[in-house]
Amino acid sequence: MKKLLEINNLVKHFPVVGGVFSRPIGWVRAVDDISFHIFEGETFGLVGESGSGKTTAGKTIIKLIEPTKGQIIFNGIDITKFGENKIRPLRREMQIIFQDPYGSLNPRMPIGEIIKEPLMVHNIGDKKEQEERVVEIMKLVGLRPEYLRRYPHEFSGGQRQRIGIARAVVLNPKFIVADEPVSALDASIQAQVLNLLLELQQKLALTYLLVAHNLAVVRHVSDRIGVMYLGKLVEVAETKELFKNPLHPYTQALLSAIPIPDPEIKKERILLQGDIPSPINPPSGCRFRTRCRYAKDICKESEPPLVDVGSGHYVACHFVKEGKVVEYSK
Ligand code: SF4
């Protein structure tokens, strides 16, 4: 399978400024040395609690935010150091769907204009062709073309997300970062929007990075999943494998929180103690150690690398070797 995207040792730190001269007095280590790849045509789910760095990772990958270090290879081209002029033509191929459809749509523009805007920015087609394309895309995402002169506030949350999706796909991109695309929607609407994303993936040969805080949301649409904790990737595996055989204690805790709709099946709920620590001053060694029920001295002293334990299942924990947990003593 061809890799559409390759991320090597990606780092994004933000300065924390203070004092009378507003000088940097520290760094928020939002994304701290992550590497993974996404195959053409697949959906890669990136999951973690709020503050894990997943959204920053998504925005950095498509260069909405400049990386601090590392390498981003898109479709065989190293785009890490591309400035605005060089990245602009590639923006046609890399789009984003935002979490808050209402906040991301200009309330003073009719939705036909909102969807048409990317075509105008990239100078694609004449006026008539642009209008035809808008109608075509509205039909494709399940919006009635006669609504094109209506404004965003006249639509429901689910319809607004369809407008956001229409704007993202109107340029016929290859790759889309979907940043929490359903977390602002009612549960009943979430499935419809996720199904629409799947349908569009088939029809338009799209590749997705799906960012979400909820493993249950990414489960049914992702081919592979990466779990992030405090700026680090702690586990990457195919979706089925991750749910059947979660190896990292953090993934195990996240999975234990997903309800099973069967009263006969009882499972242990692993409660994570406390909040995620500050990314300004993360714990030494394994960043998860302050909340891990298996932590030992070595976890404080050395950082576990993300290693392949077999069949593309990667884990960053000192006590996971060759697909098994060894030496845990409770
Ligand atoms: Fe827990 Fe240690 Fe493994 Fe980190 S390395 S997840 S602290 S057991």
Side-chain angles (χ1 to χ4, degrees):
M1 266 192 290
K2 185 188 162 194
K3 288 176 189 169
L4 182 66
L5 191 83
E6 216 176 321
I7 303 302
N8 297 317
N9 309 102
L10 189 71
V11 172
K12 180 63 200 178
H13 292 173
F14 296 101
V16 181
V17 290
V20 276
F21 298 111
S22 296
R23 290 200 175 122
I25 52 167
W27 295 92
V28 176
R29 295 155 72 171
V31 176
D32 218 3
D33 194 358
I34 63 168
S35 301
F36 65 102
H37 55 265
I38 305 181
F39 295 113
E40 201 164 57
E42 85 166 336
T43 298
F44 187 93
L46 198 57
V47 181
E49 287 167 281
S50 160
S52 62
K54 57 193 190 305
T55 291
T56 303
K59 288 184 176 167
T60 310
I61 285 165
I62 56 169
K63 301 259 297 170
L64 286 181
I65 301 177
E66 279 303 306
T68 305
K69 265 200 272 180
Q71 191 184 40
I72 305 160
I73 300 174
F74 177 73
N75 210 13
I77 305 166
D78 184 346
I79 62 165
T80 322
K81 300 223 157 60
F82 275 21
E84 195 43 44
N85 277 348
K86 276 181 105 174
I87 202 76
R88 193 171 300 136
L90 278 175
R91 291 229 182 277
R92 280 182 67 171
E93 302 188 1
M94 298 187 290
Q95 291 288 312
I96 185 163
I97 297 165
F98 293 99
Q99 172 182 1
D100 172 10
Y102 196 54
S104 65
L105 303 175
N106 185 338
R108 286 186 291 273
M109 268 170 114
I111 65 151
E113 295 300 308
I114 290 174
I115 299 168
K116 191 167 73 176
E117 202 179 23
L119 296 170
M120 294 166 73
V121 169
H122 288 272
N123 226 347
I124 296 167
D126 57 25
K127 203 167 170 265
K128 186 166 170 282
E129 285 164 339
Q130 288 174 352
E131 276 161 11
E132 283 168 2
R133 177 72 178 154
V134 169
V135 168
E136 181 191 359
I137 289 296
M138 285 181 75
K139 285 186 193 158
L140 195 65
V141 302
L143 289 166
R144 289 162 66 174
E146 54 268 35
Y147 291 166
L148 60 79
R149 278 181 235 295
R150 294 194 182 178
Y151 289 83
H153 72 267
E154 297 177 66
F155 293 88
S156 66
Q159 283 173 318
R160 282 182 207 140
Q161 195 52 294
R162 285 175 194 267
I163 300 165
I165 292 170
R167 188 177 55 179
V169 298
V170 73
L171 291 171
N172 207 10
K174 280 194 169 66
F175 176 61
I176 291 184
V177 172
D179 182 15
E180 300 266 15
V182 296
S183 59
L185 304 176
D186 291 346
S188 57
I189 309 293
Q190 289 189 354
Q192 291 175 18
V193 171
L194 289 172
N195 285 338
L196 172 64
L197 289 174
L198 281 179
E199 231 178 273
L200 293 173
Q201 184 169 43
Q202 298 294 321
K203 286 183 181 155
L204 306 174
L206 293 167
T207 302
Y208 291 130
L209 174 68
L210 177 60
V211 176
H213 64 274
N214 187 339
L215 263 170
V217 164
V218 294
R219 179 179 194 169
H220 298 292
V221 288
S222 301
D223 300 290
R224 288 184 304 135
I225 293 177
V227 180
M228 273 190 86
Y229 186 80
L230 211 52
K232 296 274 182 191
L233 265 175
V234 296
E235 187 156 9
V236 178
E238 285 186 4
T239 304
K240 254 194 189 156
E241 165 69 8
L242 192 86
F243 276 78
K244 207 173 91 200
N245 187 27
L247 291 171
H248 195 280
Y250 179 55
T251 315
Q252 291 170 352
L254 290 182
L255 281 178
S256 80
I258 299 178
I260 300 175
D262 184 343
E264 299 291 309
I265 300 175
K266 300 248 179 301
K267 67 171 180 178
E268 185 198 2
R269 172 88 197 262
I270 305 166
L271 285 176
L272 286 175
Q273 304 298 321
D275 291 328
I276 189 165
S278 164
I280 299 174
N281 192 15
S284 63
C286 174
R287 293 190 179 184
F288 186 56
R289 72 174 167 81
T290 53
R291 300 168 84 195
C292 180
R293 57 186 185 156
Y294 303 117
K296 300 242 178 76
D297 287 349
I298 188 184
C299 308
K300 194 174 183 179
E301 288 148 17
S302 102
E303 187 179 323
L306 188 71
V307 291
D308 189 349
V309 293
S311 314
H313 191 157
Y314 296 79
V315 192
C317 172
H318 290 305
F319 299 107
V320 174
K321 308 249 178 327
E322 292 164 8
K324 286 195 207 84
V325 179
V326 292
E327 282 183 49
Y328 273 163
S329 65
K330 293 189 190 177

